[in-house]
Amino acid sequence: MPARVPRRMKLGLDRRRYERLAPFYDLLELPMELVAFSRWRRLLFAGLGGGRILEVGIGTGKNIPHHPGDTPVVGVDISLRMLRRAKARAERLGRRVELVLADVEALPFRDGSFDAAASSYVFCSVENPVRGLEEVRRVLRPGGRARFLEHMRSENPLVGALQDLLNPLVHILGPEINRRTLENIRSAGLRILRERRLLTSIFRLVDAGRR
Ligand SMILES: C[S@@+](CC[C@H](N)C(=O)[O-])C[C@H]1O[C@@H](n2cnc3c(N)ncnc32)[C@H](O)[C@@H]1O
């Protein structure tokens, strides 16, 4: 583990940031997990079973308990330390997940090789989110589904402006809080099938499909 390490992977700031964050990630996220995240995670894989699934930015593997039991899941992440934690969690839970060290902007998979894809809180961090989402579309089979549990820029102009203002500060720690993820999904050529607002327009569960 990981099963495959791509020959060329950029050692960008995002990767180093998450390598550093990995040992503390679960602890730092605990308050949000208790308030809402763990409840929303249950929605991420519901109904996606029955084929081969890609989980992008699997992190420490917090979604593993919700992977459909009968479906092979491949989890990718740019951080090896995150993947090590995901591996330990999968072992503790007795779940099989193929873990691959990979950048979503250059996925080491063939076109159309997945039936479904999912991510939670990832496209706020990916350096070029449209490029990453294009890769998700490429590896999905025609008719395949992608589900994104993501936070993004609010549609309320005042809140959005506040997010723009705070973004440089928050980004020092990790994610960007003003990404226009719905637009990015569309720009990547995926079709929005359903959008569910979980907390205002900031936290959303988005179903998209490859034509
Ligand atoms: C905020 S964490 C979310 C982790 C996990 N999905 C969760 O819900 O707890 C973002 C994750 O995305 C990963 N990541 C960031 N950029 C990436 C990229 N370009 N390719 C793959 N993974 C990436 C990070 O290493 C980190 O594990």
Side-chain angles (χ1 to χ4, degrees):
M1 202 294 302
R4 269 168 280 157
V5 179
R7 250 178 293 149
R8 282 190 303 130
M9 207 165 79
K10 51 178 197 261
L11 282 163
L13 181 62
D14 285 337
R15 185 173 179 204
R16 279 182 273 130
R17 190 180 274 135
Y18 279 105
E19 284 290 273
R20 259 186 253 122
L21 203 57
F24 318 103
Y25 180 74
D26 286 357
L27 193 64
L28 287 173
E29 292 263 307
L30 189 62
M32 285 302 288
E33 222 45 73
L34 292 175
V35 172
F37 284 7
S38 55
R39 188 161 30 93
W40 296 340
R41 288 181 190 285
R42 291 192 208 119
L43 308 171
L44 186 60
F45 287 88
L48 290 189
R52 187 170 180 239
I53 303 181
L54 173 68
E55 182 176 348
V56 174
I58 191 167
T60 60
K62 288 187 194 179
N63 296 319
I64 291 174
H66 309 297
H67 288 174
D70 55 344
T71 302
V73 179
V74 178
V76 302
D77 203 284
I78 206 169
S79 158
L80 186 59
R81 284 179 147 187
M82 286 284 193
L83 286 175
R84 287 199 179 119
R85 282 169 172 75
K87 179 175 184 268
R89 191 186 306 262
E91 284 171 358
R92 272 199 311 277
L93 295 169
R95 305 296 288 262
R96 285 198 53 181
V97 187
E98 186 186 346
L99 296 167
V100 180
L101 182 65
D103 183 345
V104 67
E105 292 182 43
L107 288 172
F109 307 115
R110 286 196 322 271
D111 295 1
S113 48
F114 290 91
D115 299 282
S119 75
S120 59
Y121 318 116
V122 172
F123 286 95
C124 51
S125 303
V126 173
E127 203 175 305
N128 183 338
V130 175
R131 174 80 202 117
L133 289 158
E134 282 171 351
E135 276 292 271
V136 170
R137 185 179 67 87
R138 179 185 66 75
V139 302
L140 276 179
R141 68 165 168 77
R145 287 269 293 277
R147 188 169 294 149
F148 306 101
L149 170 55
E150 298 285 346
H151 62 82
M152 53 196 86
R153 192 180 190 280
S154 170
E155 283 180 9
N156 177 312
L158 278 179
V159 179
L162 187 65
Q163 287 175 295
D164 292 342
L165 196 70
L166 295 176
N167 191 57
L169 200 65
V170 180
H171 189 40
I172 295 171
L173 298 173
E176 303 222 28
I177 54 169
N178 62 349
R179 291 270 171 101
R180 296 173 192 267
T181 301
L182 209 65
E183 288 88 329
N184 291 343
I185 294 169
R186 281 198 196 99
S187 301
L190 289 161
R191 189 158 54 101
I192 306 288
L193 303 172
R194 183 170 178 241
E195 178 208 347
R196 185 166 160 195
R197 293 175 183 209
L198 300 171
L199 186 66
T200 69
S201 55
I202 296 182
F203 286 91
R204 304 187 215 182
L205 186 73
V206 180
D207 270 355
R210 183 184 163 174
R211 293 179 183 95

